């Protein structure tokens, strides 16, 4: 995909497909296309007059104009000005690109959204994200690829103001890296469990590290045994696939702030002996969405050479059943020394994460520690499928993450971490139980993790169980054109990228 920023009046743009936008409640205010309008005899104004173009959100109208260089104009409705957001740019450009692809167009030109009072860097980033995220497909295993010849090859962002071309260029480049990283995460998540094993994941992490000059270390089962990771290892015990802990370190600002990210990478979660019912097990190849988002963040941060330091830990294992598997009521000794009573082998994510949190805090000093995981079905019950749950001991971290969520469209909402929830995790025989009962499931999972975080460590937990995967049935009401209707959403990478960028600023 080639991205060009061109400073040219719209009427001079050579393109098969020129996209412009109009607001519903400012439908007569189309000053920015006035010179274009002149050349096409006020055709757009006429369509507005007759009510054919109303500017309703996602309304689209196609013109085949004469008198200008472009062969088609797509007029996209932006809806009401007060409802405008950067995310609407993504949605609009995703729709436009998909439309262009459907009619086999290879190149698309789009105006710079100067009618929207947005920062040019941000608008270009969102234009590109909408297009690249919106065109994603996972068709690797289809012998007949749907319209594989149909590919948009070039995007031109058109501005009438040469002074902002540089900003558009920078934002566009960032958009390319961020969307490619998110699409990479989608690919990782979409691979079935037998393909995306801990070993395969760690090979891909190795590739990312090599490509971007990032330090990498991969712990094998024997290394984890030496560290005493009794909780993590218990989860791996029932699987023939060896577990891996991948640690990547990017140093973009020696002496500056360091962020740590820990991602849950359960490459298949059968539930273990507390086995999941068939319907619940169906998509559990996606239970490594946290680790995938962590790798995606590392990829984006290192490609864009952010002036920050980032340590990423990806904890990879299957949760399976065999004669060796851990059992309900087992008592585990974690790396921290705390003992854990296993009430349910399906609450494996927190067992993997607790040792990973202990590990990262033992070997790295971080100014902020993030963990991201498809941790609890209860997060879906609490917040649905478009907002991730977050819990933290730091208002400051929440502030940064919340803003990153609003900006990226990968929104988060905070749940409380009150100490009183700890009562649900009290064990008769061990220091803590791994399950706190049905009520407040997302909170008790976070309370469990908090037990493994040092008092003075600023930490934020992100539960993406509801947001990492899309399903056809849910897509019917979520209706986000840049998120696939089925499969991995790539969530977490753009969110965490903007979080680390803002935290280290
Ligand atoms: N991987 C699941 C959580 C999950 C559920 C992710 C649905 C995505 C969609 C996790 O390991 C799990 O099974 N959690 C249990 C915990 C329970 C046993 C306390 C759950 O949420 O039911
Ligand atoms: Zn589970
Ligand atoms: Zn799980």
């Amino acid at each position: 995909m080639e991205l060009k920023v061109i400073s040219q009046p719209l009427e001079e743009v050579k393109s098969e497909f020129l996209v412009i936008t109009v607001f519903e409640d400012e439908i007569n205010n189309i000053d920015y296309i006035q010179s274009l309008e002149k050349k096409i005899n006020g055709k757009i104004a006429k369509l507005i007059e007759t009510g054919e173009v109303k500017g309703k959100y996602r309304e689209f109208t196609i013109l085949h104009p004469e008198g200008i260089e472009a062969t088609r104009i797509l007029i996209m409705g932006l809806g009401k000005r007060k409802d405008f957001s950067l995310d609407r740019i993504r949605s609009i450009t995703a729709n436009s690109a998909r439309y262009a692809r459907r009619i086999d167009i290879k190149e698309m030109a789009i105006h710079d959204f100067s009618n929207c009072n947005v920062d040019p860097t941000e608008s270009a980033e969102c234009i590109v994200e909408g297009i690249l995220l919106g065109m994603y497909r996972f068709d690797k295993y289809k012998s007949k690829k749907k319209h594989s010849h149909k590919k948009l090859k070039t995007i031109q962002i058109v501005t009438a103001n040469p002074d902002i071309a540089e900003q558009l260029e920078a934002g566009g480049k960032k958009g390319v890296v961020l969307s490619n990283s998110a699409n990479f995460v989608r690919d990782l998540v979409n691979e079935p469990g037998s393909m995306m094993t801990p070993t395969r994941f760690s090979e891909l992490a190795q590739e990312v590290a090599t490509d971007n000059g990032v330090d990498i270390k991969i712990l094998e089962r024997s290394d984890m045994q030496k560290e005493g990771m009794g909780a993590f290892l218990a989860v791996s015990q029932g699987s023939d696939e060896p577990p891996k802990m991948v640690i990547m370190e990017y140093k973009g600002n020696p002496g500056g702030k360091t962020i740590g990210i820990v991602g849950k990478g359960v490459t298949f979660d059968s539930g273990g002996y507390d086995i999941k019912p068939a319907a619940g097990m169906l998509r559990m190849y996606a239970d490594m969405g946290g680790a995938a988002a962590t790798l995606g963040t590392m990829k984006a941060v290192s490609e864009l050479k952010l002036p920050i330091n980032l340590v990423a830990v990806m904890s990879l294992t299957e949760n399976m059943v065999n004669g060796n598997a851990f059992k309900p009521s087992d008592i585990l000794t974690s790396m921290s020394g705390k003992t854990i009573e296993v009430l349910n082998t399906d609450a494996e994510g927190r067992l993997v994460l607790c040792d990973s949190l202990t590990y990262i805090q033992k070997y790295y000093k971080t100014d902020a520690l993030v963990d991201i995981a498809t941790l609890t079905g209860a997060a879906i019950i609490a917040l649905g499928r478009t907002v991730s749950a977050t819990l933290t001991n730091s208002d400051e971290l929440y502030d940064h993450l919340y803003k990153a969520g609003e900006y990226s469209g990968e929104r988060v909402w905070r749940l409380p971490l009150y100490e009183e929830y700890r009562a649900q995790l009290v064990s008769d025989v061990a220091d803590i139980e791994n399950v706190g009962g049905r009520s407040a499931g997302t909170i008790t999972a976070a309370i469990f993790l908090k037990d493994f975080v040092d008092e003075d460590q600023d930490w934020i937990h992100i539960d993406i169980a509801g947001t990492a995967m899309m399903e056809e049935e849910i897509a019917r009401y979520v209706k986000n054109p840049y998120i696939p209707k089925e499969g991995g959403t790539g969530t977490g990478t753009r969110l965490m990228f903007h979080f680390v960028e803002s935290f280290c600023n």
Side-chain angles (χ1 to χ4, degrees), residues 179-378:
S179 342
N180 287 344
S181 297
N183 285 340
F184 169 69
V185 174
R186 291 171 173 181
D187 279 342
L188 293 175
V189 170
N190 285 333
E191 286 288 347
S194 307
M195 299 300 293
M196 195 49 61
T197 58
T199 303
R200 181 70 194 129
F201 189 110
S202 62
E203 286 164 7
L204 290 170
Q206 180 70 62
E207 281 175 24
V208 172
T210 311
D211 290 350
N212 300 297
V214 173
D215 293 340
I216 185 167
K217 188 160 67 183
I218 299 174
L219 302 192
E220 307 293 336
R221 194 195 303 267
S222 55
D223 303 313
M224 298 181 212
Q225 277 159 347
K226 276 179 216 137
E227 293 288 357
M229 298 186 187
F232 188 153
L233 287 168
V235 176
S236 309
Q237 227 167 272
S239 164
D240 290 346
E241 287 290 341
K244 306 268 176 191
M245 188 187 263
V246 177
I247 301 121
M248 292 171 80
E249 194 178 2
Y250 164 79
K251 297 180 203 113
N253 185 14
K257 281 186 193 167
T258 300
I259 292 192
I261 305 180
V262 172
K264 170 180 174 183
V266 175
T267 59
F268 191 79
D269 182 10
S270 71
Y273 272 101
D274 289 300
I275 199 157
K276 287 181 183 294
M281 205 188 293
L282 205 52
R283 288 186 170 82
M284 281 302 143
Y285 60 85
D287 210 18
M288 34 60 79
T294 304
L295 183 55
T297 307
M298 184 50 100
K299 182 172 150 75
V301 164
S302 56
E303 276 179 23
L304 287 167
K305 302 195 166 50
L306 279 197
I308 63 148
N309 305 310
L310 182 63
V311 183
V313 172
M314 288 144 276
S315 304
L316 303 153
T317 177
E318 289 185 329
N319 184 23
M320 302 292 278
V321 183
N322 69 13
N324 245 336
F326 76 137
K327 304 174 184 71
S329 302
D330 276 357
I331 298 171
L332 317 174
T333 303
S334 65
M335 180 177 170
S336 72
K338 283 203 173 84
T339 56
I340 304 163
E341 182 186 5
V342 178
L343 289 204
N344 192 317
T345 59
D346 198 11
E348 85 297 341
R350 61 199 78 181
L351 299 175
V352 169
L353 288 175
C354 71
D355 281 344
S356 311
L357 288 168
T358 305
Y359 180 87
I360 196 170
Q361 291 171 101
K362 177 171 171 193
Y363 291 105
Y364 300 90
K365 165 130 196 44
T366 62
D367 298 286
L369 180 56
V370 185
D371 79 78
I372 181 160
T374 47
L375 204 63
T376 64

Side-chain angles (χ1 to χ4, degrees), residues 38-70:
K38 263 196 202 123
K39 293 267 159 88
I40 59 171
N41 297 321
K43 219 170 180 172
I44 297 174
K46 272 177 212 146
L47 289 172
I48 290 171
E49 220 175 274
T50 59
E52 197 168 328
V53 170
K54 293 194 174 66
K56 286 207 183 308
Y57 182 44
R58 280 195 215 158
E59 164 198 274
F60 64 90
T61 313
I62 192 114
L63 290 185
H64 291 81
E66 269 163 32
I68 59 167
E69 295 289 335

